[in-house]
Amino acid sequence: MITLLLADDEHLIRGALAALLGLEDDLRVVAEAASGPEAIAMARAHRPDVAVLDLQMPGADGVTVATTLRAELPGCRTMIVTGHGRPGHLKRALEAGVRGFVPKTVSAQRLAEIIRTVHGGSRYVDPELAADAISAGDSPLTAREAELLELAEDGAPVAEIAERARLTAGTVRNYLSAAAAKLGAENRHAAARIARAQGWL
């Protein structure tokens, strides 16, 4: 019997998935969660064989949860199910030790097969998501540029970003200008939108 944790903030999707996977003879859903922190708590309490995580959840995203579980529960294999698989998300997920990366368009029967594959020690990445990631290439941004773009994303002025990042305003401007130039964007706000769309933030 393969025990499962399902984490998705959309209750209807999570409930339907639990019901469908519960029909499989060798799969048993032992815990459900609606947020990143809840997923971590449930994994600690129930120690599932496989954690099926939504990419975007409140509190902590699926990759962050997977990183925590890898450190705390190395016997628990993780997989990401996503409605929006950007190239950067896939790279982050693989770096975090995620064993499966699948779109939400997959059928419950196929998902059950992938869960068995992941539980058996193999890795499964949706071919279309993998092809998109390969064609997009790696992020051209440095870690600091990505961090500052993320701070600029909500429209914060340079002075506020500088204060939050503990840098001078001039240094922040330089980083944001470099990031915008690398992404071919006219300003930092456009650069942040491009980077977010690629999954680099």
Side-chain angles (χ1 to χ4, degrees), residues 54-201:
D54 187 16
L55 178 63
Q56 295 187 319
M57 293 184 287
D61 70 8
V63 176
T64 302
V65 173
T67 302
T68 302
L69 297 187
R70 182 187 196 184
E72 293 188 21
L73 302 169
C76 174
R77 303 199 187 275
T78 55
M79 46 189 294
I80 299 281
V81 181
T82 178
H84 18 252
R86 306 284 190 263
H89 295 149
L90 174 57
K91 189 171 188 301
R92 277 182 59 228
L94 294 176
E95 286 169 354
V98 169
R99 307 296 300 178
F101 199 87
V102 295
K104 282 189 175 177
T105 50
V106 75
S107 71
Q109 187 179 2
R110 183 72 185 111
L111 182 62
E113 291 168 7
I114 295 166
I115 288 169
R116 292 182 190 107
T117 298
V118 165
H119 179 255
S122 297
R123 180 178 276 154
Y124 178 86
V125 175
D126 178 75
E128 207 169 307
L129 294 177
D132 288 348
I134 291 165
S135 63
D138 291 336
S139 170
L141 302 172
T142 65
R144 180 63 98 174
E145 287 165 355
E147 176 196 343
L148 295 177
L149 271 187
E150 201 160 8
L151 292 174
E153 199 173 13
D154 59 4
V158 168
E160 185 185 321
I161 295 167
E163 190 178 322
R164 286 164 67 186
R166 294 184 176 83
L167 296 169
T168 66
T171 301
V172 168
R173 274 194 203 90
N174 289 341
Y175 275 120
L176 292 175
S177 294
K182 285 178 181 178
L183 299 177
E186 63 269 19
N187 57 44
R188 64 181 184 267
H189 307 297
R193 279 195 303 276
I194 292 166
R196 175 65 65 190
Q198 289 294 331
W200 293 332
L201 295 187

